[in-house]
Amino acid sequence: MKGSPREEGNTATMADIFAKGTSENNNIVTKIVLKDKIIGDCSGCAICQQNGGKCVQDDDMNEIYDEMHKADVIILACPVYFLYLAFFDEKND
């Protein structure tokens, strides 16, 4: 998962290199670019705890959850600007 707001920045480049090496070793790689997704904030309704983990919000996070459940390994690449994860401010700009 790429959490960088810049498509060709350092974080994205490192994630692409990692994915290429993984693919070259006969592994299946699914790339998810978080800046291209519409993801709502959790409302804390707890409905997901009653219906098998499915969020009532109809956003891209449900698709991401499906991919995460299928994965053996999950890599999150996110830049850190002055000890701060930038993705949380720029996710839906």
Side-chain angles (χ1 to χ4, degrees):
M1 280 190 257
K2 293 184 193 178
S4 177
R6 299 185 320 174
E7 287 186 42
E8 296 186 26
N10 293 332
T11 301
T13 300
M14 288 190 303
D16 289 340
I17 291 168
F18 183 87
K20 181 181 177 193
T22 303
S23 295
E24 289 172 352
N25 286 298
N26 300 318
N27 294 293
I28 298 170
V29 175
T30 302
K31 295 181 185 179
I32 298 172
V33 180
L34 296 178
K35 76 171 198 66
D36 296 339
K37 303 293 183 185
I38 296 173
I39 302 171
D41 293 331
C42 178
S43 65
C45 68
I47 298 295
C48 61
Q49 296 176 11
Q50 301 168 14
N51 67 5
K54 180 94 170 139
C55 183
V56 295
Q57 296 187 64
D58 189 22
D59 62 9
D60 294 330
M61 197 63 213
N62 288 316
E63 170 191 335
I64 294 169
Y65 284 142
D66 291 342
E67 291 297 327
M68 290 173 69
H69 286 293
K70 291 189 278 185
D72 292 324
V73 176
I74 298 169
I75 305 297
L76 175 60
C78 184
V80 177
Y81 301 114
F82 302 104
L83 302 177
Y84 178 77
L85 295 175
F87 168 70
F88 293 109
D89 264 357
E90 300 182 24
K91 66 180 177 174
N92 287 321
D93 285 347

